[in-house]
Amino acid sequence: MTRTSFFLVLTPLILSAFTHLFNPVGFPCLHADEGKYVRRALHVLAGLGPQDPSSRFDHGQKSTSSYDHPHFGQILLAGLFRIIGYPSSVDPSPTIQSIEMLYMVPRILMGIFAVVDTFLIYKIVERRYSTKTGAFIASTLFAVMPITWLMRRIYLDSLLMPFVLSSILFAIYLKRNNDVIISDKVNYNVGNLKNSGIKNAYEKNRNIILTLISGIFLGLAIYTKVPVITMIPLVGFLIYTNSKSFKTLGIWLIPVILVPLLWPAYALSVGQFDEWLDGVLWQATERSETGVTNPIRSLILCSASNVSPDLCPTGVFKSIRSVIMMDPVLVVIGLIGIAFATIRRDYLILLWVVPFFIFSYLIQWTLYFHFILVLPVFCIASALLIVDISNKIMKKNEVYQKLLSFVIISAIGLFGLTSTVLIITTNAFFVQIAHVALAVQNIESNDHNDDTTIITAPEYSWIFKYIFNKTHALQTRDSSGIRTDKILLMVDRSYLSVTSKDPLKIEQEDPKQVESLLNIYNSTHTIASLDYSDKTPENYPYTNVKNCPSENLQIKTNY
């Protein structure tokens, strides 16, 4: 590798490490799903199996199934936690600093995953399009543009991204470039391997290995989250076009199909197949029926300038609005790049985005963070567009072509990095950490000997249950499971959402649960209250990052 090539690879990796690992518990604030996935991982780590029964309370109660996503996400996290000795390695205690560390470790893991993604994007563009300049631009965009702050959160979409990108890369490696072929010929001559049968055997074994690895990676990604099936056309196309063999395509499909089938196989083995089927059908066909596609609701919510993306209607075209607000520069350039890819018939770009949009349109349950799956292709399409524009402007001078490309990416990258720094240096997470720390301190200092029921949001419940070993730690929607006289209620995002009487709210709740929560609220007294105004910089243009539930937070007890 030359010094220039080393610089082109290293620079976006350094930028990515900074933007995704700096201040992990300052920004962004905690999302409900993050706590759910950490809790499920700790459930696996405790030896309780891959399926957490309390997952039935992670969503609105129109469905009471605990099956919403496959198991590999929590299995992967649990494995990583085991390797680093988490959570005991952070020496948990009822202090703000300790609670920060408990959340910091999983987020650092997400940052490392994002750095790996940056490298994989570079290699995909370099290998597929034979352009180090384009690879540098694509990976740099992924490293610095504001929307990639989504990768900082503990989402399944972030967990599965390295597997998707690896699957694509290994499928691309099936096609051998000229340098590799020349090198092979030299090696065969040196080793006097003139027998074409030996060479054919080598090629065959190499292709089978690359094919199986690609299939296993994509199978694991689908085993993490089902919508990744939209990547099957793309990777399958790469496998076939690079191997020219339906047999190779068939070999690739074996792990792609069999690995995700571990999910229903597990449900069948423990006698929960009906519950699994109910959960899958609800996710795929019924969840969007909770009012989110109502045109009146869409008009009201999407016309509000300060609407949180968590509340924005979930249709794919409506969710694009949230994504554009997060990063209009990358999204607009990416969309133009995709349009040019359509003209060029670039099937890697088209087969990446078209199935995603079709699937999202049909499901009608697409939130802003679901676009994580297509963030890399937006960066790739943007990079190819920049390279093409530079080549057309400087037609006869290759040096100036590259120089112009670097000037353009420097301008966009500097803008993106500046915008990203403005938000990742804020401390939007602190009030949530303080809220849970105060609750833990109350439980620990009063020495209740586990005779108190703690009712809290999914993003906090794992702290009480798996870190401080409180048997009666319940999620907000599980308030009917109270078995103790003493109660501690955390009035947080989950409580305010579940008890909301807004007819336009997304999730449908159990009326008895809502009544129970309201009764508990009225029968308890406030021992702590927190109110925190949003500290996102006023000059930051993308207002929809101001979505932290940090107002009117309370801790209430009946003792």
Side-chain angles (χ1 to χ4, degrees):
M1 178 182 289
T2 65
R3 289 184 179 181
T4 301
S5 298
F6 182 73
F7 168 80
L8 292 177
V9 175
L10 187 62
T11 300
L13 293 181
I14 293 174
L15 291 170
S16 184
F18 169 71
T19 58
H20 294 111
L21 290 170
F22 179 79
N23 194 26
V25 291
F27 181 87
C29 59
L30 187 67
H31 189 273
D33 285 355
E34 295 185 87
K36 297 172 186 176
Y37 302 140
V38 172
R39 188 199 72 238
R40 296 179 189 186
L42 293 176
H43 182 88
V44 175
L45 195 61
L48 301 175
Q51 185 66 26
D52 182 359
S54 64
S55 296
R56 60 168 292 193
F57 299 108
D58 285 344
H59 50 71
Q61 296 299 284
K62 184 175 182 180
S63 170
T64 58
S65 173
S66 64
Y67 287 85
D68 51 10
H69 297 299
H71 298 139
F72 188 66
Q74 54 256 39
I75 292 173
L76 175 62
L77 268 181
L80 295 173
F81 289 166
R82 174 75 70 181
I83 291 171
I84 62 179
Y86 179 88
S88 59
S89 59
V90 303
D91 192 21
S93 63
T95 64
I96 289 179
Q97 293 75 17
S98 180
I99 302 300
E100 278 187 336
M101 286 299 299
L102 287 169
Y103 284 105
M104 181 183 292
V105 171
R107 282 206 167 176
I108 287 176
L109 291 175
M110 295 301 100
I112 294 172
F113 272 46
V115 175
V116 173
D117 295 336
T118 306
F119 176 75
L120 292 172
I121 290 170
Y122 182 96
K123 297 303 294 183
I124 287 172
V125 177
E126 179 190 43
R127 182 77 180 199
R128 173 71 177 182
Y129 299 100
S130 301
T131 167
K132 287 183 169 60
T133 303
F136 172 80
I137 294 173
S139 55
T140 300
L141 289 172
F142 187 82
V144 304
M145 295 307 287
I147 195 172
T148 58
W149 70 260
L150 292 174
M151 308 299 296
R152 295 165 68 94
R153 280 179 168 164
I154 311 161
Y155 289 137
L156 293 180
D157 313 73
S158 304
L159 280 169
L160 62 83
M161 185 54 65
F163 297 95
V164 169
L165 296 176
S166 296
S167 179
I168 294 171
L169 182 59
F170 279 100
I172 291 173
Y173 273 131
L174 274 177
K175 184 176 183 179
R176 316 202 65 187
N177 60 29
N178 293 331
D179 292 338
V180 174
I181 294 172
I182 293 172
S183 174
D184 284 346
K185 290 180 178 178
V186 172
N187 290 335
Y188 285 132
N189 290 332
V190 171
N192 296 318
L193 299 178
K194 297 182 179 180
N195 189 323
S196 61
I198 296 177
K199 181 176 180 180
N200 290 337
Y202 168 81
E203 289 286 343
K204 182 178 179 180
N205 291 334
R206 171 188 174 275
N207 290 348
I208 290 175
I209 291 172
L210 291 175
T211 300
L212 287 174
I213 292 175
S214 176
I216 290 170
F217 275 132
L218 188 60
L220 290 174
I222 298 171
Y223 189 30
T224 304
K225 198 167 185 179
V226 173
V228 183
I229 60 174
T230 59
M231 301 301 296
I232 292 178
L234 166 60
V235 187
F237 169 80
L238 293 173
I239 292 291
Y240 175 73
T241 55
N242 291 336
S243 67
K244 307 297 182 182
S245 169
F246 283 109
K247 181 179 179 180
T248 302
L249 181 63
I251 293 173
W252 172 79
L253 279 172
I254 293 173
V256 171
I257 295 173
L258 291 183
V259 173
L261 286 179
L262 292 172
W263 188 33
Y266 171 83
L268 187 63
S269 69
V270 295
Q272 297 176 347
F273 187 78
D274 289 342
E275 182 184 350
W276 174 84
L277 188 61
D278 174 71
V280 171
L281 292 176
W282 177 73
Q283 282 279 107
T285 63
E286 299 179 28
R287 195 168 193 181
S288 61
E289 295 176 5
T290 58
V292 296
T293 56
N294 187 306
I296 297 177
R297 178 180 186 279
S298 303
L299 178 63
I300 294 173
L301 289 181
C302 281
S303 62
S305 61
N306 62 342
V307 64
S308 161
D310 289 306
L311 298 178
C312 194
T314 58
V316 61
F317 298 112
K318 301 160 191 171
S319 295
I320 290 177
R321 170 188 175 273
S322 291
V323 175
I324 292 176
M325 288 181 65
M326 288 180 183
D327 196 338
V329 174
L330 178 62
V331 174
V332 170
I333 296 176
L335 289 174
I336 296 173
I338 291 170
F340 272 87
T342 303
I343 297 173
R344 297 195 314 266
R345 295 184 182 179
D346 185 338
Y347 292 107
L348 183 143
I349 304 293
L350 296 179
L351 291 176
W352 198 323
V353 295
V354 172
F356 171 82
F357 280 106
I358 292 175
F359 179 86
S360 300
Y361 176 78
L362 294 175
I363 295 298
Q364 285 295 311
W365 183 258
T366 305
L367 298 172
Y368 63 98
F369 57 84
H370 294 148
F371 279 82
I372 288 175
L373 188 59
V374 292
L375 281 185
V377 76
F378 271 74
C379 296
I380 293 171
S382 300
L384 296 177
L385 177 65
I386 292 171
V387 172
D388 285 347
I389 289 174
S390 301
N391 291 346
K392 284 181 171 56
I393 294 176
M394 301 292 180
K395 292 182 179 180
K396 298 182 179 180
N397 194 316
E398 185 176 345
V399 174
Y400 284 126
Q401 288 175 358
K402 292 182 179 180
L403 181 60
L404 181 58
S405 295
F406 281 110
V407 169
I408 294 173
I409 186 55
S410 296
I412 297 174
L414 182 60
F415 169 79
L417 182 61
T418 303
S419 301
T420 301
V421 168
L422 282 174
I423 55 174
I424 66 174
T425 52
T426 59
N427 198 359
F429 199 167
F430 176 78
V431 67
Q432 294 172 289
I433 291 175
H435 193 205
V436 68
L438 288 173
V440 172
Q441 290 170 9
N442 177 271
I443 293 295
E444 293 290 292
S445 63
N446 286 283
D447 191 23
H448 291 303
N449 298 318
D450 205 20
D451 63 351
T452 303
T453 296
I454 303 107
I455 302 173
T456 184
E459 50 262 51
Y460 309 133
S461 63
W462 62 274
I463 294 280
F464 298 94
K465 184 173 182 179
Y466 293 105
I467 305 302
F468 295 99
N469 302 312
K470 302 303 176 184
T471 306
H472 304 292
L474 303 179
Q475 294 178 205
T476 307
R477 293 184 174 96
D478 194 16
S479 60
S480 62
I482 297 174
R483 300 290 184 269
T484 66
D485 294 329
K486 296 179 180 179
I487 299 174
L488 182 147
L489 171 67
M490 292 183 67
V491 179
D492 47 31
R493 176 209 62 83
S494 181
Y495 175 87
L496 296 174
S497 174
V498 171
T499 59
S500 170
K501 295 182 180 180
D502 182 359
L504 300 176
K505 71 192 302 285
I506 292 178
E507 300 278 20
Q508 290 187 0
E509 307 296 345
D510 182 348
K512 293 182 179 179
Q513 288 289 79
V514 175
E515 183 180 0
S516 173
L517 286 171
L518 292 174
N519 289 336
I520 292 171
Y521 182 93
N522 293 327
S523 63
T524 54
H525 59 275
T526 303
I527 63 170
S529 180
L530 297 90
D531 202 339
Y532 180 81
S533 59
D534 193 349
K535 298 299 182 183
T536 303
E538 293 182 1
N539 60 336
Y540 183 69
Y542 314 139
T543 56
N544 70 340
V545 299
K546 301 178 181 180
N547 62 346
C548 303
S550 55
E551 297 179 356
N552 302 319
L553 304 180
Q554 302 174 54
I555 298 174
K556 297 172 69 69
T557 67
N558 66 351
Y559 50 84

